[in-house]
Amino acid sequence: MSTYRRTSLKKKQSIINALPMVTDEDWDESPLLSSRCISIWDKWLFETNTPNALNDATTEQEAEWQSYFDHFHAQALNNFTVYMQAKKKGVFKEVVDNESAVERLSDCLFEFLIPEIKVIYSVGFDFTSHIYFQDFELAKDLFDLVKESKLKFLNDRYA
């Protein structure tokens, strides 16, 4: 079975209707979006007594930290219909094999589009990701998945 399936034109339009900024190159700067950062830490490293935590991490520690994100990604895939934008702009693919997707995306930069809750989830560098959302209450179930995982919100104004 394939990991992704190209969406129909009707589904593509519904994704764009829910997340109109996704067609812009600088979508993350859209005034329609708010964001919350998640990480394995609850503060930015420069604000802690462990600014070298990433440089000093062992391979085992990094694998453990990645497993927290992999678990969160699996939960998101199991709880929502998730799409990804293909490298070719304007083409969206639905994730249809969750387990394969988590394996393939582990340790990669990617974005999940979750139109049903108007969220774009963007994996960043250094065990930090961003959840961009239009409506806090609509995205609350995804935020609850973060709280259930070993991940934390960074300096969160919504706490």
Side-chain angles (χ1 to χ4, degrees), residues 14-32:
S14 72
I15 294 168
I16 292 171
N17 287 343
L19 301 165
M21 70 291 298
V22 79
T23 59
D24 298 334
E25 190 161 324
D26 297 323
W27 61 263
D28 57 333
E29 297 174 13
S30 171
L32 298 174

Side-chain angles (χ1 to χ4, degrees), residues 98-116:
N98 297 349
E99 190 175 314
S100 172
V102 170
E103 276 182 37
R104 291 179 73 175
L105 298 171
S106 186
D107 248 352
C108 292
L109 301 180
F110 64 89
E111 294 156 1
F112 281 161
L113 308 176
I114 312 174
E116 68 191 271

Side-chain angles (χ1 to χ4, degrees), residues 69-126:
F69 276 98
D70 291 347
H71 177 74
F72 172 69
H73 299 155
Q75 292 304 309
L77 288 164
N78 289 331
N79 284 275
F80 302 100
T81 303
V82 174
Y83 301 88
M84 300 181 78
Q85 190 164 212
K87 290 182 183 178
K88 180 180 174 187
K89 285 290 184 187
V91 174
F92 298 95
K93 295 187 176 197
E94 181 178 355
V95 177
V96 292
D97 184 339
N98 297 349
E99 190 175 314
S100 172
V102 170
E103 276 182 37
R104 291 179 73 175
L105 298 171
S106 186
D107 248 352
C108 292
L109 301 180
F110 64 89
E111 294 156 1
F112 281 161
L113 308 176
I114 312 174
E116 68 191 271
I117 58 172
K118 297 187 176 191
V119 163
I120 301 171
Y121 169 72
S122 180
V123 173
F125 294 99
D126 298 340

